[in-house]
């Protein structure tokens, strides 16, 4: 007899997916594979399933495995463009909040990476917060302070924390309480350390920095959902990446998803067809000259546009 049940995806790597189900004996995690070659509704993704997805599974009697029959429609999803597969790569599904983690140094501050992540969060209609970790480390970088203030000025919530000393962690707990959050950032910013600070009992393996290149060493190789029962929260840790290309957006739509650019959309002399690079009467360029749009944010916009035109620019 075929037994089917609804489950929650906890992790997904290639064709091996961990799904959590409720049973009369408590919560159980199953190792699952997709039934058939293609999962309906997920055809245009590098990976068809991500943590946070709700799926229907067919239980395999007498085993801890199952087959995934279908996935429920997503409320939202966070993704990036995967150059290898030339398509969307799912990182998390059905989330309430995105936590974009950065550091003042170790690894170096990369505002253009943050700009891309915040852009993708807006595309996905997910509220985003910039989390600055490692504030216990002394630094002297006026540009870093200026850019953090710029994120606050244009309307993003900013929280400075130290996973090492615990500073700001209680505030972070209140922010994520009762929510499903997705944690993202370049390798080495301390995402795993933050989760351990939130719930020490998880004891997640933490990475280190490559001293020669001052870059993070990957410890999270796939997205994984952790339960934080103390405050009824879930958090999805995503793999650290060095390059983030926005997904599911046309170049002419970029300004609609940048907070300080959006009010000027369509007001240029050439309307929405303006490239905002050289045209007379461009309101975006005028706003940059007037200091309404930060020059570095404008540079980020240009680099993202180049990426979507198929060009390569190092961040």
């Amino acid at each position: 007899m075929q037994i089917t049940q609804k489950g929650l995806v906890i992790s997904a790597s290639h064709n091996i997916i961990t799904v959590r189900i409720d049973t009369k004996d408590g919560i159980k995690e199953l190792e699952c594979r997709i039934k058939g070659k293609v999962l309906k509704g997920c055809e245009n993704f590098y990976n068809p399933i991500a943590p946070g997805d709700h799926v229907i599974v067919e239980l395999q009697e007498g085993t801890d495995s199952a087959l995934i029959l279908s996935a429920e429609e997503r409320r939202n999803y966070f993704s990036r463009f995967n150059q290898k597969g030339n398509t969307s790569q799912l990182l998390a599904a059905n989330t309430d909040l995105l936590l974009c983690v950065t550091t003042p140094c170790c690894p170096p501050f990369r505002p253009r990476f943050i700009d891309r992540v915040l852009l993708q969060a807006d595309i996905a209609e997910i509220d985003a917060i910039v989390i600055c970790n490692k504030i216990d480390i002394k630094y002297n970088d006026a540009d870093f302070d200026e850019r953090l203030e710029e994120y606050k000025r244009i309307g993003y919530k900013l929280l400075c924390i130290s996973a090492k000393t615990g500073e700001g962690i209680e505030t972070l707990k209140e922010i994520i309480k009762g929510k499903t959050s997705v944690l993202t950032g370049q390798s080495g910013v301390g995402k795993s350390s933050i989760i351990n600070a939130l719930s020490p009992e998880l004891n997640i393996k933490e990475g280190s920095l490559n001293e020669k290149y001052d870059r993070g060493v990957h410890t999270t190789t796939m997205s994984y959902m952790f339960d934080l029962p103390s405050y009824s929260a879930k958090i999805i840790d995503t793999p650290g990446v060095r390059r983030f290309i926005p997904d599911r957006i046309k170049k002419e739509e970029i300004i609609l998803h940048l907070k300080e650019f959006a009010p000027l959309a369509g007001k240029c002399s050439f309307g929405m067809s303006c490239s905002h690079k050289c045209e007379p009467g461009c309101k975006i360029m005028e706003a940059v000259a007037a200091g309404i749009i930060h020059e570095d944010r404008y540079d980020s916009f240009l680099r993202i546009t180049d990426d979507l035109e198929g060009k390569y620019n190092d961040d």
Side-chain angles (χ1 to χ4, degrees):
M1 182 178 66
Q2 184 185 68
I3 301 175
T4 61
Q5 188 169 339
K6 182 177 177 179
L8 175 66
V9 175
I10 303 304
S11 67
S13 177
H14 302 292
N15 195 36
I16 300 176
I17 301 158
T18 303
V19 176
R20 182 178 295 161
I21 63 170
D22 291 321
T23 72
K24 62 181 180 180
D25 299 319
I27 294 174
K28 187 175 183 179
E29 292 188 357
L30 305 173
E31 182 180 290
C32 303
R33 295 180 183 274
I34 295 171
K35 188 171 185 177
K37 293 184 178 180
V38 180
L39 196 63
K40 187 178 179 181
C42 303
E43 297 90 349
N44 298 319
F45 291 96
Y46 181 75
N47 53 318
I49 294 291
D53 268 321
H54 296 283
V55 295
I56 302 299
V57 298
E58 177 185 309
L59 306 181
Q60 307 294 293
E61 190 174 355
T63 71
D64 288 332
S65 61
L67 294 175
I68 295 176
L69 304 180
S70 62
E72 293 189 353
E73 184 176 353
R74 300 179 178 102
R75 174 164 53 93
N76 59 42
Y77 62 86
F78 183 67
S79 62
R80 70 182 182 110
F81 182 75
N82 184 290
Q83 290 177 292
K84 179 182 178 181
N86 195 36
T87 189
S88 302
Q89 180 180 356
L90 290 170
L91 297 173
N94 301 311
T95 62
D96 304 301
L97 187 64
L98 181 135
L99 308 176
C100 181
V101 184
T102 187
T103 55
C105 57
C106 307
F109 178 56
R110 286 179 59 200
R112 294 186 185 91
F113 178 93
I114 300 172
D115 292 336
R116 290 163 181 249
V117 168
L118 296 179
L119 170 64
Q120 191 64 48
D122 197 83
I123 294 169
E125 299 184 353
I126 303 171
D127 290 336
I129 296 177
V130 177
I131 306 290
C132 179
N133 189 26
K134 303 187 182 181
I135 58 169
D136 54 290
I137 298 177
K138 291 183 179 180
Y139 70 93
N140 183 20
D141 187 346
D143 290 338
F144 171 76
D145 293 328
E146 180 182 341
R147 284 306 307 270
L148 287 191
E149 285 301 315
E150 179 64 14
Y151 289 124
K152 289 171 63 177
R153 185 187 73 82
I154 62 178
Y156 285 105
K157 184 176 179 62
L158 170 69
L159 178 63
C160 294
I161 68 170
S162 170
K164 182 178 180 179
T165 67
E167 183 176 350
I169 294 299
E170 291 303 316
T171 301
L172 181 56
K173 288 179 180 180
E174 287 300 314
I175 289 173
I176 67 174
K177 187 176 182 180
K179 296 183 175 69
T180 296
S181 303
V182 53
L183 195 64
T184 189
Q186 67 187 102
S187 299
V189 295
K191 298 187 301 297
S192 298
S193 300
I194 290 172
I195 297 176
N196 280 334
L198 291 168
S199 286
E201 68 278 4
L202 292 173
N203 195 28
I204 302 168
K205 181 181 178 181
E206 298 177 9
S208 58
L209 287 177
N210 181 313
E211 293 183 4
K212 181 177 179 180
Y213 298 104
D214 200 17
R215 290 177 172 178
V217 177
H218 295 289
T219 54
T220 302
T221 57
M222 62 179 175
S223 296
Y224 192 96
M225 176 182 282
F226 295 95
D227 265 329
L228 308 176
S230 299
Y231 24 103
S232 304
K234 292 181 173 64
I235 193 162
I236 300 172
D237 189 15
T238 61
V241 295
R242 298 190 181 104
R243 182 165 175 76
F244 191 103
I245 300 178
D247 183 40
R248 303 280 170 127
I249 186 172
K250 298 177 181 178
K251 63 180 182 179
E252 60 268 21
E253 298 171 341
I254 297 172
I255 65 170
L256 299 175
H257 298 280
L258 297 173
K259 284 184 180 291
E260 72 275 45
F261 288 63
L264 302 174
K267 295 183 179 180
C268 300
S269 297
F270 290 87
M272 290 299 292
S273 63
C274 183
S275 71
H276 316 297
K277 294 181 179 179
C278 59
E279 297 87 342
C282 173
K283 297 303 179 184
I284 298 297
M285 294 174 64
E286 289 176 7
V288 175
I292 298 170
I293 293 175
H294 196 285
E295 289 183 359
D296 213 26
R297 285 275 288 176
Y298 177 65
D299 186 62
S300 279
F301 160 76
L302 294 178
R303 288 170 181 252
I304 294 168
T305 301
D306 284 348
D307 269 352
L308 296 185
E309 288 176 344
K311 299 175 182 177
Y312 179 84
N313 280 295
D314 190 16
D315 290 338

